[in-house]
Amino acid sequence: MSRRAYRILPTDSTTFHPRLLGTRGAVASNSNLSASAGADVLKAGGNAVDAAVAAAFVEGLVNPQMHTIGGECPLLVRLAGEARVIAVNGNMAAPARATPGEYRARGLSDVPDSGILAAGVPAAFGALVTSLQRWGSMPLKDVIAPALGLAKNGFPVSEGLRNQHKYGIAPMQARFAAEWPASAKLYLPGGRVPEVGALMRNDALARTFSFLANAKDPLAAFYEGEIAAEIVKFSKARDGLLERADLAAFETRIEAPAALQLGDTELFKTGFWSQGPAELQTLALMWQFDLRKIGFGTPDYCHLLVEAMKLAYADREQYYGDPEMTKVPGDVLLSENYSFQRKNLIDFKKASRELRPGNAWQNSALLSEEQKLTPKDWGAGTVHVDAVDAKGNMASFTPSGAWISSAEVIGPLGFPLSTRMMTFYLGPANHPNVMAPGKRPRTTLTPSMAFRNGKPWMAFGTMGGDNQGQWLLQFYLCRAAFGMSIPEAIEAPRLSSEHAPGFFAPHASEPNRVRIEPRFGTEVLEELRRRGHDLDVAPDWSEGFVSCAAFDEDTGLIEAGCDPRGAKSHCFPATALAW
C-alpha cells in the first residue's frame, strides 16, 4: 500500500461536489457569474429575494440560450419567521387578438414553435420587480447593477452559450444569418460564432437596464412606456398580435401555492397553470408504497416511478390550465382518496402503453375513452436560481423563455420575446389549455420549496422542459424518502418518461419511452425492458440539472448544491456558493 496516498478507500460512492455549508448565505444558479452577483448582493446587505432577482437578471444576459428578460419567471418565496410559502405567477399572457380562429385563418393547425406568432406579453420583468418591491430590501438600481455592468463591459462566452445542443449560437448560426439580422448582429460579431471565453457585450440591453433602473416606476416604464412601444412596433412589423393595450393590462399574480404533505415533509409548487402539481400527484401515488423496502435505483423503484408519472402526467394533459379561465379540479387531483384509487392501476409486472387520466370530476380512477383529450400524435431551455439568507428568507426562481433560438432579438432592446404561446392548443374548444385572449398558457416551469417538520428546509429547481418536474421529484425522493445529502441526491442517476404528450407544439409523445442514465446498471435496464419499457439509454450525466439551497432554522446552517450535469452536458456553468 502506498505511503503517499491521500485516500485508500474506493470513491465510487462519493460525490463530485462536496457539501457546501455556511451560516450567512447561499446562492445556487446556472452560471458562476449569476451566482457571484447574487452573493455580492447578499454580502452588501440584501436579502434572499434581492439576491435571486440580481442572479436572474444576470442569467438572462449570460445564458440567453436558456432565458432572457423577454420571457417568464414563476417563483416561490418564503419570508423569515413565516410558516407559509408565496407563489408568484410569472407566466406570460396571450394578446387580445390571440384566438384559435386567428391562427386557423392564417392556415395554421398549431401555434408555431418560434417567431412572432408565438409571442405573448413578457412576464419575467414583472415577476422580478414585483417580488423585489414586495419582499426585497434594495432598489432595482442596485440589484440590476451586476447585469448592467456585464452587458456594458462584456462577459466571457460560456461553452453552453456557444455550443449547447440545438440552442447555442453555433447551432443557430445559419438561422441568425438568414432570417434574424438583429440576432446575427448581436451574437455573430464579424459574422462569426464567438469562441468560448471571448468577451460579449450587449449594449442595447445595457441601455434597457439603465433606463429601467432609473425609472420612477419601472413596471410602468416596461409595460406602458418606451419598452412597450418598442415591443409592439417590432411585433407589428412582423404581423404579430401584440398591442400596447395587452402590455398595459398585464398584471403579475400573487397566489397561494399548490402543496402536499409527504411524511414529515411538505412540498410546495406553483399552481395548475404549471406542471408543478403533477410532481405532487406522482409523489402522492408513490408514497403509498414502502419506498425504503423497494430501495432506490432498483427495477421496482424505476418501474413504479415511471408508471406513477404516466398516471400523473395523463391528468396534467387532461385537466391543467389557467385557473382564471378554465375549471381545474385541483382539490380532487391532490386528494388522498383519488390517489389511493389511482395507485391500484399500477401493475408492477408490466408497463402500460395507455394514456390513462382519472375522472377527477367524479373522483374515480379512470376517465372514459370518449372523454379523454388524447392528442392527435398519440402513439428548450430554462435556468434556475435559489437563494437563502441568514434570517431564513428563501427564494426559488425559474426564469425561462425568450430563448435566442426561438425568436429574433429586438435590436433596440437587446432581447427577444418569449414563444411560450406554443404550448396552447387551438382545439378542441373544451381543452383546458385552448388558446383565449388574455389567457396564460400552461407552462413546464416549476420552482420548488419544501418544509420539514413544519420548518423551512430547501428551495430547489431545474431547467428541462417537460422533464423538469420528473427530475425534481426524483431529487425530492432521494432527499425525503431515502435520506440522501444534497450532493448525493443531485448526483444520483435519473430517468425521464416521454409517455405523456409534450407541452410544446406539436404536443408529441412516445408511449412507453424512457430515457435513462446507464448508471442505474445493466440488470436494471434489462429488467425494465422485460417489463415492456422502451429504453433510450442516455449519455451519463445528461438527465437533469438540479440546484438547491437549504436552511436549518434550528442551527442556522445554510447549504447549497448544483449539478455537475450542467457542465458535463455543455449546457451552462452551474455554480453553488455558501459562506
Side-chain angles (χ1 to χ4, degrees), residues 33-287:
L33 299 175
S34 62
S36 296
D40 288 346
V41 165
L42 278 177
K43 292 175 181 179
N47 65 20
V49 174
D50 299 318
V53 172
F57 277 124
V58 173
E59 284 286 349
L61 169 70
V62 303
N63 277 324
Q65 81 281 15
M66 297 278 94
H67 164 70
T68 69
I69 199 61
E72 302 85 36
C73 187
L75 59 96
L76 298 171
V77 170
R78 184 264 176 174
L79 302 178
E82 295 193 5
R84 65 173 180 141
V85 170
I86 304 162
V88 175
N89 185 336
N91 194 16
M92 68 139 67
R97 292 170 55 200
T99 64
E102 177 72 29
Y103 284 77
R104 292 196 182 101
R106 296 171 183 242
L108 298 169
S109 58
D110 287 306
V111 180
D113 62 2
S114 65
I116 198 63
L117 288 179
V121 180
F125 186 76
L128 293 175
V129 173
T130 297
S131 301
L132 185 69
Q133 292 176 345
R134 284 177 176 253
W135 308 299
S137 64
M138 301 175 73
L140 176 62
K141 190 171 186 178
D142 291 345
V143 299
I144 208 171
L148 198 162
L150 289 167
K152 183 178 180 181
N153 300 318
F155 62 92
V157 172
S158 69
E159 183 75 45
L161 174 52
R162 187 189 194 278
N163 295 320
Q164 185 179 351
H165 176 60
K166 295 190 295 186
Y167 302 116
I169 296 173
M172 291 302 299
Q173 180 181 15
R175 188 168 193 181
F176 286 175
E179 300 178 38
W180 295 343
S183 298
K185 182 179 179 181
L186 176 57
Y187 292 111
L188 299 174
R192 295 185 297 274
V193 176
E195 295 300 322
V196 174
L199 280 186
M200 174 166 286
R201 296 177 175 83
N202 190 333
D203 294 327
L205 187 60
R207 289 191 296 271
T208 297
F209 282 167
S210 180
F211 170 75
L212 294 168
N214 290 289
K216 184 177 180 180
D217 183 345
L219 291 174
F222 189 97
Y223 290 100
E224 300 175 37
E226 295 179 27
I227 307 296
E230 201 65 55
I231 289 172
V232 172
K233 177 183 176 182
F234 177 88
S235 176
K236 285 182 175 294
R238 289 154 182 79
D239 198 23
L241 304 179
L242 284 166
E243 302 283 355
R244 292 287 296 271
D246 296 318
L247 282 92
F250 183 79
E251 294 182 352
T252 299
R253 298 174 184 165
I254 312 298
E255 303 174 343
L260 189 69
Q261 190 78 35
L262 297 157
D264 63 353
T265 72
E266 187 173 14
L267 180 58
F268 300 91
K269 304 295 297 187
T270 47
F272 284 89
W273 48 269
S274 75
Q275 66 171 334
E279 292 173 54
L280 304 180
Q281 287 192 249
T282 304
L283 290 165
L285 291 166
M286 295 185 70
W287 218 261

